[in-house]
C-alpha cells in the first residue's frame, strides 16, 4: 500500500514536501485534483493520480493552469473538495479566472497550491505568487516545514469552506523537493456527492447561481470574509514564537526561511538575544499578534525570499500602530541586510544577522575559498548545459541552424519554455535569439512577421513543444493565421511533457491516471485553422533542412512538426536504433578539415574527443544509438550498425 494512503493515524513517515501536501489533501477528503506540469509542483498531481482509484478521486493534467483551476472550481461549486497545484508562472496564467473566482466565492473547499522557485532553479524567472493573494484578496498560508505542509493543506480546506472562498497555500522549491518526518493523520472514509445547485435566490452562496456580479456586493462580502480570516489567524497554531521575552532583535519570517533562521541563530549563538516569530498565515496578517511581538523589540529583521512581501505588510502594520508600539528600526530587503534576489540559505541569513548584532561571522576562510575555487577550475571536468544523448532537439536545431545559414537573410528563432530553451546555447547552435513565456515564441514571431512594411525582411521561426502547443500556442497560432503573419512554427513533438517528467497531454491517447483517452491530433488542428502543415523526422537531417528552407520561401503561416520521441521517455529508454562505431582509419582527428566537428560543434555527450589518440570515440555507456552523428561526419568515420538482438 502506498505511504500516502496508509490509514495509520499517528505513524511517522519520511515525506517530500509535495508528498506531505498530497497527504494533507487526502486527509482533508479531497475529491478532485487538476493541474498543469511545472517544476517544483508536478509531484502533487502525479502522486494523487497514483491513488486516484483507491481514494475515489478525479485527477487530471489540464491543458494549462487557468483551465485546471476552472476544473477544480467546478468541483467546489458542486460541493466537493478540490486542489489545484501549479508553479509560480501558472498563477499568472490562472489569475484572470482567479480574480473572478475570489469575487464569486466557492462552496466545497478549494485550495490553490503555488510552488514558487526562488533562485529560478528550474524556471526562467523567480516570480512571486504571494502578491497575487494580496492583489486578489484571498488568504495565504506558508508552511515552514514538512509537518506543516501536510497539516496546513488539510486545514486550508476547512478554512476555505468556513469563509466560502479559495485559499492559497504557498510552497517553495526547498520545501517541495526536500524531505522530512511527518506524523500522519486519519484518512476519511466517505465518498463525495456532487450536485450544482442554482435554483435558489441569486445572491444565495449555497443554492443560487454563481457569479462575481454584482461586483460591489461581492467585493464587500469578500472583505467581511477577510475580517473573519484575520480573527482565525490571530489564534492559528501555525504562528509561533521562540526566544527571549524581551529580544534585542525580533526576526519575522515564514516558509522555508524559518529553517534558515533557526540554523543561523544557532551558528551565531544568538538564541538568547534574538526572538524568532514564524508566521504561517502571511496574508492577511493577524494584526494583534504581530503588534504584540513588534512591541517587544526596537529592531526588526524580516527574512523572506525574493522581493519584499512580508516586510511591506509588517511595515504598514507597524506604521498604523506606531503610537502604541513606538518607532522601530527595520532591516530586511530594502536596507540590503537580506538579498533582494535569489534563494536564501543559513549563511546569507547569518551574514545579515551578524551585521545587525555586531557579532563576527565568517562562513568560510578566504584562503580556503580561493583554494577550493582554483581546484574546481582545474580538477573538475567542465559540464556545460547540453541536450541529452540522442535528444531529437539537437538534431532539430542542427537543421534549423543550417537552414537559416543557407537562407542568408539574418533569420532567427523565437524560442519558448521547455528543454528546447537550450537552443539559445551552444547545445542548440545558438539558434534561439529571443525567449520569454510559454507560447510567447509564436506571439513574438507574429509581431516580427508583420514588420515587412517597415523594411524588415528577416525570416522568423517560432519553436514550441507538443505540450506547450496545447498550453499557450493555440491562441497565438489563431492570431498568426488571422493576421496573415509571415512566419514558420516548428513544433518539436517528442510525445510528452518531457521537461517535467513525461506527463501526458491532449496529444497522447492516455490521461493522468493511465486510462485511454481521445488523442487530439496536432497536425489536424493546425490544418483546420488554415495553416499549411508538414511533418518530418528530425533525425533525417537533410530532408528536415531542405523542408525548412522551402517553407521559409513561402508566404503566410506554415507549421512544421518535427516528430521524434524523447530518448529518455519510458517507451524509448534503453532501446537503441543503432550501435554506433568510429572507423579510426577514417577519423583524421586534428588532420581533418572539420577540426573534429562532431565533438566541437555537434556536442552530443555520446561522442568523446580522445586527447590521447587525437580521434573521436563513442561513449558506449550513454550513447542511445539515434544514429544522427553518422550524418554530420564529413569523412564518414562514424558508422551505424544494426543493434544485436540478445
Amino acid at each position: 500500500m502506498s505511504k500516502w494512503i496508509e490509514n495509520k493515524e499517528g505513524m511517522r513517515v519520511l515525506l517530500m514536501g509535495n508528498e506531505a501536501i498530497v497527504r494533507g489533501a487526502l486527509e482533508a477528503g479531497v475529491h478532485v485534483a487538476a493541474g498543469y506540469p511545472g517544476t517544483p509542483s508536478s509531484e502533487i498531481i502525479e502522486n494523487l493520480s497514483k491513488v486516484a482509484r483507491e481514494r475515489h478521486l478525479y485527477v487530471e493534467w489540464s491543458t494549462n493552469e487557468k483551465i485546471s483551476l476552472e476544473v477544480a472550481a467546478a468541483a467546489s461549486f458542486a460541493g466537493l473538495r478540490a486542489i489545484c497545484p501549479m508553479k509560480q508562472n501558472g498563477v499568472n496564467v490562472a489569475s484572470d479566472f482567479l480574480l473572478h473566482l475570489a469575487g464569486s466565492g466557492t462552496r466545497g473547499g478549494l485550495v490553490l497550491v503555488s510552488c514558487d522557485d526562488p533562485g529560478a532553479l528550474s524556471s526562467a524567472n523567480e516570480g512571486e505568487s504571494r502578491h497575487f493573494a494580496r492583489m486578489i484578496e484571498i488568504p495565504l498560508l506558508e508552511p515552514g516545514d514538512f509537518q506543516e505542509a501536510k497539516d496546513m493543506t488539510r486545514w486550508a480546506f476547512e478554512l476555505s469552506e468556513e469563509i466560502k472562498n479559495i485559499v492559497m497555500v504557498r510552497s517553495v522549491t526547498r520545501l517541495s523537493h526536500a524531505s522530512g518526518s511527518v506524523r500522519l493523520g486519519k484518512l476519511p472514509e466517505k465518498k463525495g456527492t456532487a450536485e450544482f445547485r442554482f435554483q435558489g435566490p441569486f445572491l444565495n452562496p449555497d443554492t443560487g447561481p454563481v457569479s462575481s456580479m454584482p461586483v460591489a456586493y461581492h467585493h464587500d462580502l469578500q472583505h467581511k470574509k477577510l475580517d473573519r480570516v484575520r480573527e482565525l489567524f490571530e489564534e492559528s497554531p501555525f504562528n509561533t514564537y521562540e526566544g527571549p521575552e524581551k529580544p534585542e532583535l525580533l526576526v519575522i519570517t515564514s516558509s522555508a526561511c524559518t529553517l534558515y533562521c533557526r540554523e543561523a541563530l544557532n551558528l551565531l549563538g544568538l538564541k538568547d538575544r534574538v526572538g524568532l516569530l514564524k508566521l504561517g498565515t502571511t496574508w492577511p496578517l493577524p494584526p494583534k499578534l504581530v503588534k504584540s511581538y513588534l512591541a517587544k523589540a526596537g529592531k526588526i529583521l524580516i527574512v523572506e525570499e525574493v522581493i519584499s512581501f512580508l516586510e511591506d505588510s509588517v511595515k504598514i502594520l507597524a506604521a498604523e500602530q506606531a503610537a502604541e508600539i513606538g518607532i522601530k528600526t527595520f532591516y530586511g530587503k530594502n536596507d540590503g541586510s537580506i538579498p533582494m534576489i535569489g534563494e536564501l540559505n543559513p549563511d546569507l541569513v547569518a551574514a545579515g544577522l551578524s551585521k545587525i548584532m555586531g557579532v563576527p561571522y565568517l562562513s568560510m576562510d578566504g584562503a580556503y575559498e580561493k583554494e577550493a575555487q582554483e581546484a574546481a577550475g582545474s580538477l573538475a571536468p567542465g559540464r556545460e548545459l547540453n541536450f541529452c544523448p540522442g535528444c531529437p532537439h539537437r538534431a532539430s536545431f542542427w537543421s534549423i541552424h543550417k537552414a537559416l545559414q543557407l537562407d542568408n537573410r539574418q533569420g532567427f528563432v523565437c524560442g519558448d519554455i521547455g528543454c528546447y530553451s537550450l537552443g539559445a546555447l551552444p547545445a542548440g547552435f545558438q539558434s534561439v535569439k529571443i525567449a520569454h513565456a510559454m507560447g510567447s515564441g509564436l506571439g513574438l514571431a507574429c509581431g516580427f512577421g508583420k514588420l515587412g512594411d517597415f523594411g524588415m525582411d528577416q525570416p522568423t521561426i517560432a519553436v514550441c513543444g507538443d505540450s506547450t502547443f496545447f498550453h499557450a500556442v493555440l491562441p497565438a497560432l489563431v492570431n498568426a493565421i488571422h493576421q496573415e503573419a509571415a512566419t514558420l512554427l516548428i513544433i518539436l513533438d517528442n510525445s510528452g511533457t518531457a521537461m517535467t517528467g513525461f506527463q501526458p497531454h491532449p496529444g497522447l491517447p492516455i490521461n493522468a491516471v493511465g486510462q485511454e483517452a481521445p488523442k487530439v491530433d496536432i497536425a489536424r488542428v493546425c490544418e483546420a485553422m488554415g495553416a499549411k502543415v508538414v511533418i518530418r523526422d528530425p533525425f533525417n537531417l537533410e530532408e528536415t533542412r531542405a523542408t525548412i528552407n522551402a517553407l521559409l520561401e513561402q508566404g503566410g503561416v506554415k507549421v512544421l512538426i518535427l516528430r521524434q520521441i524523447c530518448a529518455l521517455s519510458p517507451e524509448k529508454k534503453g532501446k537503441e536504433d543503432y550501435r554506433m562505431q568510429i572507423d579510426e582509419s577514417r577519423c583524421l582527428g586534428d588532420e581533418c578539415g572539420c577540426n573534429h566537428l562532431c565533438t566541437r560543434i555537434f556536442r552530443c555527450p555520446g561522442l568523446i574527443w580522445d586527447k590521447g589518440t587525437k580521434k573521436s570515440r563513442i561513449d558506449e555507456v550513454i550513447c542511445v544509438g539515434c544514429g544522427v552523428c553518422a550524418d554530420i561526419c564529413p569523412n564518414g568515420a562514424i558508422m551505424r550498425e544494426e543493434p544485436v538482438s540478445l
Side-chain angles (χ1 to χ4, degrees):
M1 178 182 288
S2 165
K3 57 188 174 185
W4 300 292
I5 56 172
E6 279 193 291
N7 204 6
K8 295 183 178 178
E9 187 177 2
M11 185 173 73
R12 279 202 169 276
V13 295
L14 186 68
L15 292 182
M16 199 166 73
N18 281 348
E19 294 173 339
I21 291 170
V22 167
R23 176 70 190 199
L26 292 171
E27 289 183 8
V30 70
H31 304 102
V32 171
Y36 180 81
T39 309
S41 70
S42 304
E43 296 83 4
I44 298 173
I45 288 292
E46 282 185 351
N47 287 321
L48 284 168
S49 72
K50 293 174 183 174
V51 299
R53 180 177 298 176
E54 293 93 332
R55 297 303 304 170
H56 191 60
L57 310 179
Y58 173 73
V59 183
E60 76 166 42
W61 284 119
S62 308
T63 48
N64 65 36
E65 293 85 351
K66 177 173 178 285
I67 295 170
S68 69
L69 185 58
E70 290 159 350
V71 168
S76 169
F77 296 148
L80 300 178
R81 290 186 167 184
I83 190 169
C84 182
M86 59 188 72
K87 71 178 298 174
Q88 79 276 5
N89 299 335
V91 185
N92 304 342
V93 177
S95 61
D96 190 359
F97 178 69
L98 181 58
L99 180 61
H100 292 83
L101 179 64
S104 72
T106 57
R107 291 178 181 172
L110 179 56
V111 177
L112 188 162
V113 179
S114 170
C115 297
D116 287 8
D117 190 19
L121 303 173
S122 57
S123 308
N125 62 62
E126 52 178 356
E128 271 271 9
S129 68
R130 293 182 298 174
H131 295 268
F132 279 98
R134 181 161 55 196
M135 180 175 71
I136 291 172
E137 300 175 306
I138 57 175
L140 173 64
L141 307 177
E142 294 188 73
D145 58 30
F146 308 96
Q147 184 68 49
E148 283 194 351
K150 179 188 80 71
D151 295 341
M152 212 176 264
T153 302
R154 176 176 177 165
W155 184 63
F157 285 94
E158 298 172 16
L159 176 62
S160 171
E161 289 180 354
E162 175 158 354
I163 65 168
K164 296 186 182 299
N165 213 339
I166 187 170
V167 173
M168 178 185 283
V169 175
R170 183 227 190 197
S171 180
V172 293
T173 301
R174 294 298 170 188
L175 184 65
S176 286
H177 284 173
S179 298
S181 175
V182 175
R183 187 182 298 278
L184 302 183
K186 186 177 181 181
L187 290 175
E189 297 295 333
K190 65 178 182 180
K191 292 182 179 179
T193 301
E195 179 188 3
F196 177 50
R197 295 188 289 173
F198 52 83
Q199 295 90 349
F202 187 76
L203 296 179
N204 187 302
D206 298 314
T207 61
V210 178
S211 170
S212 60
M213 296 182 288
V215 173
Y217 171 81
H218 280 102
H219 200 182
D220 181 62
L221 183 60
Q222 199 176 342
H223 276 256
K224 290 183 171 64
K225 293 176 181 179
L226 290 174
D227 289 340
R228 176 56 181 154
V229 169
R230 288 186 183 89
E231 292 175 3
L232 294 169
F233 282 3
E234 294 285 4
E235 305 298 327
S236 172
F238 298 120
N239 301 321
T240 60
Y241 175 79
E242 50 200 91
E245 180 62 28
K246 289 289 185 182
E248 298 172 41
L249 172 73
L250 175 67
V251 176
I252 303 179
T253 191
S254 64
S255 188
C257 295
T258 308
L259 304 175
Y260 307 150
C261 290
R262 286 185 180 135
E263 188 168 340
L265 290 172
N266 275 329
L267 283 170
L268 297 173
L270 290 173
K271 292 177 68 176
D272 295 332
R273 297 172 57 193
V274 177
L276 179 62
L277 176 60
K278 192 278 291 181
L279 293 175
T281 64
T282 49
W283 204 88
L285 286 178
K288 295 177 184 174
L289 179 120
V290 175
K291 175 187 168 186
S292 68
Y293 285 102
L294 287 176
K296 293 176 181 289
K299 296 188 290 187
I300 315 295
L301 169 65
I302 315 294
V303 178
E304 59 188 324
E305 290 179 312
V306 200
I307 60 176
S308 61
F309 172 81
L310 186 58
E311 183 174 335
D312 296 348
S313 299
V314 170
K315 284 179 175 175
I316 291 171
L317 196 152
E320 292 170 345
Q321 305 294 332
E324 292 185 54
I325 64 174
I327 303 299
K328 307 295 177 184
T329 300
F330 282 95
Y331 304 92
K333 299 286 185 181
N334 290 328
D335 79 319
S337 296
I338 299 296
M340 188 69 83
I341 63 170
E343 188 179 41
L344 294 184
N345 58 48
D347 262 345
L348 290 170
V349 178
L353 279 167
S354 71
K355 290 180 183 175
I356 298 167
M357 298 299 293
V359 176
Y361 175 69
L362 183 63
S363 63
M364 186 185 298
D365 179 78
Y368 176 82
E369 184 177 10
K370 183 181 178 183
E371 185 179 348
Q373 288 176 345
E374 290 174 352
S378 60
L379 301 177
R383 290 189 176 91
E384 64 181 22
L385 288 171
N386 202 347
F387 291 118
C388 302
C391 176
H393 296 337
R394 178 183 294 101
S396 297
F397 279 115
W398 179 270
S399 299
I400 291 170
H401 180 70
K402 290 193 71 173
L404 288 173
Q405 282 188 317
L406 287 170
D407 183 84
N408 199 29
R409 288 182 289 167
Q410 294 294 306
F412 58 94
V413 176
C414 300
D416 220 292
I417 303 300
C419 297
Y420 40 87
S421 298
L422 295 179
L425 303 179
F429 319 106
Q430 298 175 310
S431 307
V432 172
K433 302 300 183 187
I434 187 168
H436 291 80
M438 290 183 74
S440 294
L442 183 56
L444 287 164
C446 286
F448 287 122
K450 296 303 296 182
L451 300 181
D453 289 345
F454 300 93
M456 184 172 179
D457 62 354
Q458 298 166 269
T460 57
I461 294 175
V463 296
C464 74
D466 39 336
S467 184
T468 301
F469 173 79
F470 292 108
H471 179 281
V473 172
L474 279 166
L477 183 57
V478 171
N479 190 68
I481 292 169
H482 180 66
Q483 307 300 340
E484 298 181 298
T487 193
L488 168 60
L489 170 64
I490 297 181
I491 301 172
L492 307 172
D493 183 354
N494 60 2
S495 302
T497 315
M499 193 175 191
T500 52
F502 302 104
Q503 294 85 2
H505 59 62
L508 301 171
I510 194 169
N511 64 19
V513 295
Q515 297 170 332
E516 289 188 10
K519 172 183 174 180
V520 179
D521 190 287
I522 294 175
R524 291 182 64 187
V525 169
C526 296
E527 287 171 343
M529 288 184 181
K532 177 179 180 178
V533 179
V534 180
I535 302 174
R536 293 287 183 266
D537 178 355
F539 285 175
N540 189 330
L541 298 178
E542 183 51 31
E543 183 185 48
T544 301
R545 196 277 309 155
T547 300
I548 294 171
N549 279 122
L551 292 173
L552 287 175
E553 291 296 324
Q554 300 173 18
V557 180
K558 295 82 58 181
V559 176
L560 172 60
I561 301 174
L562 296 181
R563 185 168 290 157
Q564 181 62 245
I565 192 168
C566 174
L568 295 181
S569 69
E571 295 81 4
K572 178 80 173 181
K573 202 170 184 179
K575 297 176 183 174
E576 291 183 331
D577 292 328
Y578 302 101
R579 295 300 302 273
M580 305 306 296
Q581 289 194 353
I582 301 285
D583 183 343
E584 293 193 1
S585 66
R586 292 186 178 182
C587 180
L588 303 179
D590 285 338
E591 305 302 320
C592 182
C594 76
N595 192 16
H596 53 96
L597 175 80
C598 56
T599 54
R600 184 175 56 88
I601 302 295
F602 192 65
R603 280 181 153 89
C604 177
L607 287 163
I608 300 172
W609 176 246
D610 191 323
K611 293 181 180 177
T613 63
K614 303 290 185 184
K615 295 179 185 294
S616 296
R617 63 182 175 87
I618 302 293
D619 185 338
E620 296 180 357
V621 175
I622 61 173
C623 174
V624 300
C626 69
V628 174
C629 56
D631 290 330
I632 59 103
C633 178
N635 214 35
I638 306 176
M639 300 184 299
R640 304 184 186 94
E641 291 183 359
E642 294 296 323
V644 178
S645 300
L646 299 176

